[in-house]
Amino acid sequence: MEQEQLKQFTFYELYADILNSLNDVDAGKFAKRICEYEFENAEPNTAMTDKEVFYWSNISDMLAEVKEIEIRGKISKKFNLRAKHFTFYDTYFNAMKLLNDRQCGMFVKAMCEYMFGGVMPDFNDKTMQGYFNLCKRKMDISKQRKAVGTSGGNAKKKPKRETDAERVLTETMSYEEFRQKYHEIQGELYGSAERYKTVLDWSDVATKLETDMDLQNETNIYRLTQKYVQRYGEKR
């Protein structure tokens, strides 16, 4: 049975540390191996240096464990809670395929610097800069969702003395509040789907959005609600 292919996977800071320890050519090759494993279910099939073999042997179990979880549309709390990370989309890999190994290494290292350090690259190559700028939209969405998820987690850390009324307020979210928090999600609800504005528990939609990779892949509110209802029903 053919293994399901991912459209996105979680890229951890550990991978960035490995790439930064390699020269640009080797970093490009190593990054492509990771992407080929994640998106194409391909094991490394090119010769690796002793250093690359050492690095791969130390992350292969992690790659396999997280991939098995993400294929089911879930997120690995085991690794995500203790390591910095961002969502790596297949469109980034498509850009990498258009670059030679040295350019690819520079490109992925720049992505990591932007996602983990907020440093915007300035490539001498206009083509590479153009590819990066096109990918930046999705990278910024990942940053925004990460920020919302963090603030949401902090908001839950209320003093134990809070009243029942205060607890209800912190756990309740209206449709309008949801749209304000997730402003990168476009479109409108129309037709019979308009009822979801009042029928759905939007605080639960927000919670599921932070943990369900399939929902995270939707940037249109109509498609997002359809997928949410199919998976979780009309909870209120």
Side-chain angles (χ1 to χ4, degrees), residues 19 67 112 133 154:
L19 297 180
K67 184 177 180 180
C112 293
N133 292 342
N154 292 336

Side-chain angles (χ1 to χ4, degrees), residues 7-170:
K7 295 293 184 182
Q8 62 193 62
F9 71 93
T10 303
F11 191 101
Y12 295 97
E13 191 174 29
L14 172 62
Y15 307 161
D17 291 341
I18 291 174
L19 297 180
N20 286 328
S21 73
L22 301 171
N23 63 50
D24 290 339
V25 173
D26 290 340
K29 292 178 180 178
F30 201 88
K32 286 178 179 177
R33 289 189 187 102
I34 292 175
C35 291
E36 287 166 355
Y37 176 79
E38 295 285 359
F39 294 126
E40 299 175 352
N41 301 321
E43 296 287 345
N45 58 5
T46 56
M48 290 190 282
T49 66
D50 290 341
K51 180 187 287 189
E52 290 170 330
V53 169
F54 170 72
Y55 284 147
W56 187 265
S57 68
N58 276 277
I59 67 169
S60 57
D61 290 347
M62 181 177 176
L63 285 168
E65 182 177 342
V66 176
K67 184 177 180 180
E68 183 179 350
I69 294 170
E70 294 185 336
I71 283 177
R72 300 198 302 267
K74 305 297 182 181
I75 291 175
S76 172
K77 293 182 180 180
K78 172 182 174 181
F79 293 108
N80 286 24
L81 290 176
R82 68 188 187 192
K84 291 183 179 180
H85 59 276
F86 68 92
T87 302
F88 199 103
Y89 293 95
D90 56 356
T91 187
Y92 305 162
F93 186 37
N94 291 337
M96 290 163 57
K97 291 177 180 178
L98 301 175
L99 304 171
N100 61 40
D101 290 335
R102 177 176 172 275
Q103 291 173 324
C104 180
M106 295 171 62
F107 186 82
V108 179
K109 286 180 180 180
M111 287 183 60
C112 293
E113 281 194 29
Y114 181 69
M115 294 303 292
F116 293 127
V119 179
M120 182 67 184
D122 183 15
F123 295 108
N124 292 326
D125 188 311
K126 292 184 178 180
T127 299
M128 288 179 64
Q129 188 68 53
Y131 292 165
F132 187 92
N133 292 342
L134 287 172
C135 293
K136 183 175 177 294
R137 177 180 171 275
K138 277 189 174 291
M139 286 189 277
D140 287 342
I141 290 175
S142 294
K143 279 176 171 283
Q144 291 167 358
R145 286 180 173 167
K146 180 69 175 176
V148 170
T150 301
S151 63
N154 292 336
K156 293 177 182 178
K157 297 177 181 178
K158 294 287 183 181
K160 292 183 179 179
R161 288 178 292 178
E162 71 178 346
T163 66
D164 290 341
E166 288 172 333
R167 188 175 297 108
V168 170
L169 287 174
T170 60

